[in-house]
Amino acid sequence: MAIVVVDHGSRRAQSNEALNDMAEVLFQRAQERCPNLSLVSVEPAHMELASPTIYDAMRKCIQDNASQVLIVPYFLSKGKHIVRDIPELVSKAENELRKEFSNVQFSTQICDPIGVSNSVADILLERAGLV
């Protein structure tokens, strides 16, 4: 199993590098919290404006022998990028990768965005300096 964590992408390199950091932290936390999970990698991907793309990240996961690729949006809510753009990009990447790796079986699943939760509320309170 592998995870592709997807953000919007930016023309600002520092913003894109933050996703690399998030991918590393997510991999470490997954190993700590889910020790029995056989997670081969967590790859960053940008929906647009920067590399690596969703295709690039999915390709790396398949090269790392992941049989399942979870697409985890680093977005707050189900806007047009979650509902339309990311599914289209994942579908296109899947089709291309199935041709390129015709002898490899893999599946993909697009997960929900971050959404509304007590955990997110706690982070916002912390950022506001209230806790």
Side-chain angles (χ1 to χ4, degrees):
M1 175 183 297
I3 294 173
V4 173
V5 60
V6 180
D7 73 358
H8 184 277
S10 175
R11 290 183 181 88
R12 189 172 174 259
Q14 187 176 7
S15 297
N16 294 324
E17 289 166 9
L19 187 65
N20 297 341
D21 296 340
M22 185 69 236
E24 288 178 23
V25 170
L26 185 56
F27 184 75
Q28 292 168 359
R29 292 293 288 161
Q31 302 238 314
E32 291 167 9
R33 296 192 66 190
C34 313
N36 295 328
L37 182 67
S38 96
L39 184 65
V40 295
S41 66
V42 175
E43 300 298 327
H46 307 288
M47 191 189 75
E48 60 185 14
L49 303 175
S51 293
T53 65
I54 290 173
Y55 169 84
D56 297 333
M58 288 176 61
R59 187 174 194 279
K60 175 134 182 10
C61 294
I62 293 165
Q63 287 176 321
D64 289 344
N65 297 315
S67 59
Q68 182 180 20
V69 181
L70 300 177
I71 310 298
V72 179
Y74 199 37
F75 288 74
L76 288 177
S77 60
K78 288 186 178 182
K80 74 172 191 158
H81 293 321
I82 300 299
V83 173
R84 185 189 68 204
D85 299 336
I86 290 174
E88 286 176 3
L89 291 167
V90 169
S91 178
K92 182 179 177 185
E94 240 182 337
N95 290 337
E96 291 176 24
L97 291 166
R98 289 197 191 287
K99 291 175 190 169
E100 184 177 351
F101 296 94
S102 59
N103 60 333
V104 176
Q105 295 290 323
F106 68 92
S107 64
T108 60
Q109 176 185 340
I110 301 173
C111 302
D112 286 334
I114 295 167
V116 177
S117 70
N118 288 337
S119 299
V120 173
D122 289 343
I123 291 168
L124 295 174
L125 289 169
E126 182 182 310
R127 295 298 185 265
L130 299 175
V131 292

